[in-house]
Amino acid sequence: MNLKGNGLYAQSGGVTAVINNSAAGLITAWQEALTRNKDHNLNLTKSDLDDLPKLYAAKNGILGVLNNELERIDNYTHAQIANLRSLPGGKFGSCRYKLKNSGDEEAEYKKLIEIFAKYNIRYFFYNGGNDSADTCLKVSNISKKLGYLIQCIHIPKTVDNDLVATDNCPGFGSVIKYLATSVLEASIDLSSMYRTSTKVFILEVMGRHAGWIAAGTGLASKDSTKPPHIILFPEIKFDQDKFLAKVQEVIALNGYCVVVAAEGIKDSAGDLIAASKEVDAFGHAKLGGVANILADIVTNKLNLKCHYAIPDYLQRSARHLASQVDVDQAFAVGESAVVFARKGFDSIMVCIERISNAPYQWQIQSVSLEQVANKEKFMPRDFMDKEGYAISPKCREYLSPLIVGECYPPYANGLPAYL
Amino acid sequence: MNLKGNGLYAQSGGVTAVINNSAAGLITAWQEALTRNKDHNLNLTKSDLDDLPKLYAAKNGILGVLNNELERIDNYTHAQIANLRSLPGGKFGSCRYKLKNSGDEEAEYKKLIEIFAKYNIRYFFYNGGNDSADTCLKVSNISKKLGYLIQCIHIPKTVDNDLVATDNCPGFGSVIKYLATSVLEASIDLSSMYRTSTKVFILEVMGRHAGWIAAGTGLASKDSTKPPHIILFPEIKFDQDKFLAKVQEVIALNGYCVVVAAEGIKDSAGDLIAASKEVDAFGHAKLGGVANILADIVTNKLNLKCHYAIPDYLQRSARHLASQVDVDQAFAVGESAVVFARKGFDSIMVCIERISNAPYQWQIQSVSLEQVANKEKFMPRDFMDKEGYAISPKCREYLSPLIVGECYPPYANGLPAYL
């Protein structure tokens, strides 16, 4: 089916190392669709061609729509698309901004739709995580209520890997490839030095509620006798005494101990170990500082020399070590968003379906946004071992294919040539 | 000149992503020297060949000598040498251990020489930084006093880049390639999000006294108007008011601000910003925590959302992003140690001499250990700009060639195949 109006693409929430690949996939598929439109209309004049459906990107996510800051992207050249594919961060800018519901009036949503109408936007492609899926669903519902024809298609993206109904979330494979490599390298460093230096190394990784990222570091070893020796998941209540006993057990066995801690681990009362008074635009507590708290505990209670690392944004922007599978999937979900748009789909999320583990085979599907919005996918209990400090073979089987393949950016003078 | 006895190699102090390349260079050159020995002795029987000079590695650095834990390494295969070249950390183990001087008796040094005599060690190759250069010199002096013939050759290694008399120190180029890439990537992330999220990002890097590593992150941009916007060097006293004014100036200009802070920055009284009561085996204060202190200052005084990253050991073990120039130089200093040994040199450090900046040309030289031991090379004032928050063009010219070229390790199943 031909495109029946203009499209709008916006990036939302925390960016990833590969989110621009979804933009690249979207633009590529849009251009292909236009070529087909052209083929059907060979006798059109230039001014008719100008009437072909345009694809816009909003500057800084949904804020760009409210601020009337749109940019044409359907005219991207091959070179520009290639640059997009290598670039981490959000090329068009992203935002953490929750649209305001003012009672029944749904004020900001209505404003959004006014601007859609002004630009004849008939396809809304929203590239984000949980919160954006909810926004995307609301836009779809309100536009129907107002009688404005638009297809809302959510393109998944989140390093947290916590969207339901998709095998995994683009951005996740690269973050765990980077972190598993980092744990592996730091563990080799530690193993060279622990006899006279640091005995315990703690790596703090992202993950407020779900332990997927922490779990991914488990790929650094074939089993839990090798580092990382202890993984602290947000799904498992943190028990200080049990943790310290485990550290001592590992030290007795190996001489040193490597710990990975998700930022969102909680105590037995359910309170965050690293609670802070700050909250983000969605009301989520801003975390950070788990590593130093754990290092203090280890140092003071066990009198062991301890180091810690907090990669913070480094982990989600490490395009230099992106997973090829992740890059491919990020591109594919963007590309397929146009395919679903042309098929007339509305209020859906593009998702990845796993066909087999080994060899890893997958295909693109769609799922109703109702099934996705406001849901979070946690680590199932059987993805952790009995003790709750390591990943299970089942989890390893799930995670392993997601980090396969290297997709290096081009370099110039020793640094990635990010344009 | 033929080798006249056995050799001993030991790794010392903090390991690097490329220190094993120096071991690989040493073994390669030793094997070449043996081949020449063999050529001169074609009629020797197998038991005669067994008498050819052996090369040992001490387990865990100098401690392995004191504990009589030596391992033959002259028999490494090509595959083993190739694996060494890809492996971060210290393959043979390293240590932070200061030999004890018990008055005039120099007790542990004498013990060392007893073990050298037992194994007929006539070449001592010590791969380390400042402290190891001092140890190497003392071993040379005491062996002379005791009449034990041994040539002591120091192979430079330190991420800190603070050894004098060498253009740079193997390990340094890779750490700054990794950190400049990390700053570049995190800055792109930040620039996508700062309008509704984090305004200030702080990266804490290694460097107790010298600001070389912090300076290396300056390569992430062509000039100081781009991130990193502020570099805090240990050589420049930290002035909180001036710093906060600079952050505000950068925010006014760019909307966000990226700060790199060396762990060893000091206040106007010369006290460490992140002082800790702990000291290492050499009596140096154990640092860490500058980033959180700066983040607190920025948050509380300027009310700006702030994030920080502390790569810690990740930065010095990131073999996945090693600099090709650094790998080549690490190999060359190991290789040349054998060349100097065969020439009869004693009490020297192998060093790198820069012939030209562009194209970057260098050669290997030797320098007397007396000129190196217990000296530290700091950033010259003219390597920083007038304000002291950025590197100067002169510094950029010096640093630029050191990160050139990628030297990826082999991968298997998505992770570096470190064997």
Side-chain angles (χ1 to χ4, degrees), chain A residues 302-372:
Chain A
L302 303 182
N303 195 28
L304 292 171
K305 187 178 172 185
C306 191
H307 259 243
Y308 62 88
I310 308 177
D312 192 61
Y313 290 157
L314 271 51
Q315 68 199 285
R316 74 176 194 195
S317 60
R319 179 64 185 83
H320 75 270
L321 196 57
S323 149
Q324 182 69 60
V325 165
D326 193 30
V327 167
D328 291 345
Q329 293 184 333
F331 189 87
V333 292
E335 209 176 20
S336 302
V338 177
V339 175
F340 290 129
R342 293 174 62 206
K343 284 186 178 167
F345 286 33
D346 175 35
S347 201
I348 56 138
M349 180 179 88
V350 184
C351 64
I352 300 159
E353 185 188 27
R354 183 177 300 220
I355 299 165
S356 66
N357 279 325
Y360 180 51
Q361 293 183 300
W362 51 276
Q363 65 187 14
I364 298 295
Q365 293 284 10
S366 71
V367 56
S368 151
L369 269 178
E370 302 256 355
Q371 287 178 51
V372 177

Side-chain angles (χ1 to χ4, degrees), chain B residues 113-159:
Chain B
I113 291 163
E114 274 169 34
I115 292 159
F116 287 166
K118 181 180 165 190
Y119 283 90
N120 191 31
I121 303 294
R122 298 296 165 178
Y123 307 98
F124 176 47
F125 301 108
Y126 206 31
N127 201 172
N130 284 308
D131 295 314
S132 334
D134 179 56
T135 302
C136 199
L137 177 61
K138 282 185 181 150
V139 169
S140 174
N141 290 340
I142 295 167
S143 62
K144 275 192 196 81
K145 216 163 76 179
L146 298 176
Y148 181 76
L149 271 180
I150 190 164
Q151 292 167 233
C152 295
I153 296 178
H154 190 248
I155 302 170
K157 167 250 50 161
T158 170
V159 292

Side-chain angles (χ1 to χ4, degrees), chain B residues 224-297:
Chain B
S224 58
T225 64
K226 302 238 164 49
H229 305 100
I230 301 176
I231 302 177
L232 301 174
F233 303 99
E235 288 90 347
I236 305 269
K237 296 269 178 284
F238 177 72
D239 178 330
Q240 182 173 311
D241 293 338
K242 202 180 142 207
F243 166 69
L244 289 173
K246 181 71 184 176
V247 171
Q248 286 180 298
E249 182 194 317
V250 172
I251 296 269
L253 209 64
N254 302 281
Y256 67 100
C257 178
V258 175
V259 179
V260 171
E263 59 182 345
I265 55 170
K266 292 162 204 77
D267 63 20
S268 58
D271 294 325
L272 289 165
I273 300 293
S276 138
K277 284 141 284 173
E278 284 185 84
V279 289
D280 73 9
F282 292 97
H284 307 149
K286 198 188 127 220
L287 305 184
V290 167
N292 8 347
I293 291 169
L294 293 174
D296 277 350
I297 294 172

Side-chain angles (χ1 to χ4, degrees), chain B residues 5 13 44 59 69 108 178 217 219 221 238 251 261 268-269 304 331 349 369-370 404:
Chain B
L44 289 182
K59 196 173 169 185
E69 292 179 302
E108 282 198 326
Y178 170 81
T217 65
L219 295 177
S221 66
F238 177 72
I251 296 269
S268 58
L304 293 171
F331 189 85
M349 180 178 87
L369 268 178
E370 300 258 355
V404 171

Side-chain angles (χ1 to χ4, degrees), chain A residues 94 185 192 198 307 312-313 418, chain B residues 94 185 198 307 312-313 418:
Chain A
S94 184
E185 292 178 333
S192 318
T198 303
H307 259 243
D312 192 61
Y313 290 157
Y418 296 137
Chain B
S94 184
E185 292 177 333
T198 304
H307 259 243
D312 193 58
Y313 290 157
Y418 296 138

Side-chain angles (χ1 to χ4, degrees), chain A residues 109-405:
Chain A
Y109 285 91
K110 286 185 180 167
K111 191 173 171 196
L112 214 62
I113 290 162
E114 276 170 33
I115 292 160
F116 287 167
K118 181 179 165 190
Y119 284 89
N120 191 32
I121 304 295
R122 299 294 166 182
Y123 307 98
F124 176 46
F125 302 107
Y126 206 30
N127 201 174
N130 283 309
D131 295 313
S132 334
D134 179 56
T135 302
C136 199
L137 177 61
K138 283 186 180 149
V139 170
S140 174
N141 290 342
I142 294 166
S143 63
K144 274 192 197 82
K145 217 164 75 181
L146 298 176
Y148 182 76
L149 272 179
I150 190 164
Q151 292 168 234
C152 294
I153 296 178
H154 191 248
I155 304 169
K157 165 249 54 160
T158 170
V159 293
D160 292 326
N161 199 40
D162 59 354
L163 286 164
V164 298
T166 182
D167 176 64
N168 72 90
C169 303
F172 173 64
S174 294
V175 97
I176 64 170
K177 184 185 182 85
Y178 170 81
L179 289 174
T181 300
S182 298
V183 164
L184 181 62
E185 292 178 333
S187 298
I188 292 172
D189 187 305
L190 204 67
S191 75
S192 318
M193 303 280 302
Y194 72 88
R195 289 165 198 84
T196 55
S197 187
T198 303
K199 301 274 191 292
V200 180
F201 176 72
I202 299 166
L203 182 74
E204 176 179 325
V205 302
M206 288 179 165
R208 287 158 191 260
H209 308 299
W212 295 107
I213 294 181
T217 65
L219 295 177
S221 65
K222 291 219 169 51
D223 60 69
S224 60
T225 64
K226 301 238 162 52
H229 306 100
I230 302 176
I231 302 177
L232 301 174
F233 302 98
E235 289 90 348
I236 304 268
K237 297 268 178 281
F238 177 71
D239 178 330
Q240 183 172 312
D241 293 338
K242 202 181 143 209
F243 166 69
L244 289 174
K246 181 71 183 174
V247 171
Q248 285 181 300
E249 181 194 318
V250 173
I251 295 269
L253 210 63
N254 303 280
Y256 67 101
C257 178
V258 175
V259 179
V260 171
E263 59 182 346
I265 55 169
K266 293 162 203 76
D267 62 21
S268 57
D271 293 325
L272 290 165
I273 300 293
S276 138
K277 284 140 286 174
E278 285 183 85
V279 290
D280 73 9
F282 292 96
H284 306 150
K286 199 189 127 218
L287 304 183
V290 167
N292 7 345
I293 291 168
L294 292 174
D296 276 350
I297 294 172
V298 168
T299 308
N300 296 328
K301 302 276 178 185
L302 303 182
N303 195 28
L304 292 171
K305 187 178 172 185
C306 191
H307 259 243
Y308 62 88
I310 308 177
D312 192 61
Y313 290 157
L314 271 51
Q315 68 199 285
R316 74 176 194 195
S317 60
R319 179 64 185 83
H320 75 270
L321 196 57
S323 149
Q324 182 69 60
V325 165
D326 193 30
V327 167
D328 291 345
Q329 293 184 333
F331 189 87
V333 292
E335 209 176 20
S336 302
V338 177
V339 175
F340 290 129
R342 293 174 62 206
K343 284 186 178 167
F345 286 33
D346 175 35
S347 201
I348 56 138
M349 180 179 88
V350 184
C351 64
I352 300 159
E353 185 188 27
R354 183 177 300 220
I355 299 165
S356 66
N357 279 325
Y360 180 51
Q361 293 183 300
W362 51 276
Q363 65 187 14
I364 298 295
Q365 293 284 10
S366 71
V367 56
S368 151
L369 269 178
E370 302 256 355
Q371 287 178 51
V372 177
N374 296 315
K375 285 178 189 149
E376 268 183 287
K377 186 172 70 180
F378 298 102
M379 287 268 292
R381 187 60 186 83
D382 68 353
F383 268 38
M384 294 168 257
D385 74 350
K386 207 176 156 191
E387 213 176 17
Y389 286 141
I391 59 172
S392 68
K394 197 170 171 184
C395 181
R396 192 176 296 281
E397 195 175 45
Y398 163 71
L399 293 171
S400 293
L402 306 182
I403 64 166
V404 170

